[in-house]
Amino acid sequence: MSLKKIGWRLFPLLVFLFVSCVSASHRLEPPRFAMELRFSDLERLTEAEPTQAIHAIQVFKERYPALDAQQTEQLDTLYQRACKTIIAKTHEAIDAKQWTKARSLLRSLFVLDLAQEFPEISEGKILMLQAEDFLSGGKDLEAFLALLQAAQSGFDVYADRALPFFKRAIELNLRPLALYIYQLALQSDSRVQDSEKSYLRGRDSTAEMIRGVATVLVDRGIRIEKGRSYADRVLGSAFFIDKSGLLITNYHVIASEVDPKYNGISRMFIRMGDASSPKIPAKVIGWDPIMDLAVIKAEIVPEYVFSVIGSDTAQVGEKVYAIGSPAGLEKTVTSGIISALNRRLLQLGDVIQLDAAVNHGNSGGPVVNEQGNLLGVVFAGIEQFQGINFAVPVQRLVSALPALLAGGEVERPWLGLVLSEDRYGVNVLYVAPNTPAFEQNIPVESTLKRLNGKALSDFHGNSIAALQDQLLLCQSGELVSLETTDGRQRLLALAKRPIKPLIDAIKLDTKERLTAPLFGMLLSPGFGSAIAPQYQIKKIVRGSIADESGLSENDPLIIQGFSVDEKQGLVSLDISIKKRKMGYLEVMMRLYGSLEITDTL
């Protein structure tokens, strides 16, 4: 047979392989950048939203690298104008004592290396001024939180400034807070009286703390199931954090009060005693679905107020007490130990694992140690595994409280990155479409080196949680700098984080690319038909769903099905895969993932 005839016979096969490879490669390509950028838009943003203008200028340069000299000069001029506008707006915010806005603008100036424009002003000093304003205005809780943030930022809180806060903490009987302020700035101050020092050496008893815990009742009317009617009620716990009647609880306890998708009756009360005690109407002040926290208020003067600021942090093996209303049994105290730290269950940060008995109704109750310091807020227990329960650490509560006290739904910022962590560092696993990271072409599989100038090697413990902590106090629209191993340092304006981070990505991206953030496997093109293209697993994230399912790198697979249940927040993936570990035996598998992924930035 001639070579010519062999060639013609192979031609259909070559075309088939080429088409299938192109189809697979095409489906693994990122979505197209849809935003149209014009100089007129940049000019408008420069005056109205200068941080967004700087981000857009960076995007413009990224998307259109072949700019001529005149266009480059125009962009540089707009950049300088935007910087000057940020400086002017910072002056205005400081003069008007708009402290939160001033801090946000000042952080952006720090990222732009323009903090020298305010040589006598730092974020810590603004926080201290804000704390003093709050204290003089009778907003005690806000004042103490701002003082804590000022100290954590490195501001030197000297004795004269600390003393009024110390005296107020003593007056309000907030012993852990008073001890914290004393250790911060007053240990050698002669104005601290012996009686006050003696008070600091004491501790609040569990019996006292019980008086500061309430039962939360949410009446949602009647539920009909199979022709029978049932009272639909949500039961939880809460504890007082301010003498004005403010309490902390979980978002999932009060969700029907504020969720716009809920269609039905919802009336919330608290109760301070048993079932014979009166129900006191309560309202929601602020809520944070991502952190599962909420602040509610009742018109009552509490007998006991918990100090959210103290000197202790949770330690593994430490004895703790959980206080709440399990199954409606008010004022129940259970004991146990801190079983583990750094569990990744919520979307942001890490949580505490404890073995103190926690049941339905405990949600929102406090976890305290033997010294009477608040360590966390109960938010979940695994019913089928008794003794495995979880709490939001008090440090997360403290960072969330300023936004919660401002009222309404807390808005969290993000860049649009899904991350994975290994011994080499923190890697970009996925970039969500139409996010700041996507707009600036941050490459998948690159490794993060610095965030706002801070090297990731400086973080101790869980690097992803530490990165998230850096963004917790930031606001949408604020500038951050991000350096990756491709040698690029990018300026990005933070965007509003969706409650379910990938809810929009699922509508815009292909299922082949979504396997990385949802199931922990990066795919590369393989062979197959154009209708059912084949892929190979390029990378498996350790500890991911794909890893736990026994999949490994270089396994060939075909995606047979992909479905999303937005209401439940679940995703399922049907695959036909030939596992190398099983001698390439072909098997059908279904993987389940969650839309509420944890490792995002």
Side-chain angles (χ1 to χ4, degrees), residues 250 340 343-345 351-356 358 365 367 376-382 387-393:
N250 286 145
R343 298 299 193 202
R344 302 302 307 281
L345 292 182
V351 300
I352 299 169
Q353 180 183 328
L354 60 151
D355 72 351
V358 167
V367 176
V377 184
V378 174
F379 78 92
I382 302 178
I388 302 180
N389 306 305
F390 303 96
V392 180

Side-chain angles (χ1 to χ4, degrees), residues 451-596:
L451 179 65
N452 287 347
K454 186 173 183 180
L456 266 67
S457 57
D458 294 340
F459 294 130
H460 301 288
N462 191 319
S463 294
I464 295 178
L467 285 168
Q468 292 174 338
D469 283 344
Q470 275 204 291
L471 296 189
L472 271 180
L473 298 177
C474 297
Q475 298 179 359
S476 300
E478 196 170 303
L479 287 173
V480 298
S481 66
L482 188 68
E483 185 179 341
T484 55
T485 47
D486 64 353
R488 298 283 306 280
Q489 180 170 321
R490 297 169 173 85
L491 295 176
L492 306 97
L494 294 166
K496 180 182 178 181
R497 177 192 178 93
I499 293 177
K500 292 184 174 68
L502 295 183
I503 198 70
D504 295 326
I506 280 178
K507 300 170 185 175
L508 297 170
D509 214 340
T510 64
K511 56 183 178 290
E512 287 82 358
R513 280 174 40 82
L514 288 164
T515 59
L518 291 172
F519 305 102
M521 57 178 177
L522 274 165
L523 302 181
S524 60
F527 299 122
S529 69
I531 298 174
Q534 190 179 92
Y535 302 90
Q536 277 192 312
I537 297 178
K538 182 180 181 182
K539 179 181 179 181
I540 292 284
V541 177
R542 182 171 295 180
S544 66
I545 295 167
D547 186 31
E548 296 296 327
S549 300
L551 309 187
S552 58
E553 294 177 5
N554 298 319
D555 284 355
L557 64 85
I558 295 174
I559 296 177
Q560 305 285 5
F562 183 86
S563 63
V564 181
D565 185 341
E566 288 190 23
K567 186 175 181 181
Q568 298 296 325
L570 295 175
V571 183
S572 66
L573 178 73
D574 294 324
I575 58 174
S576 170
I577 186 166
K578 296 179 180 179
K579 292 187 176 183
R580 291 187 304 112
K581 295 178 180 178
M582 297 174 60
Y584 288 101
L585 175 68
E586 186 171 3
V587 295
M588 294 289 296
M589 296 184 66
R590 172 169 289 181
L591 308 179
Y592 289 96
S594 172
L595 291 175
E596 296 188 14

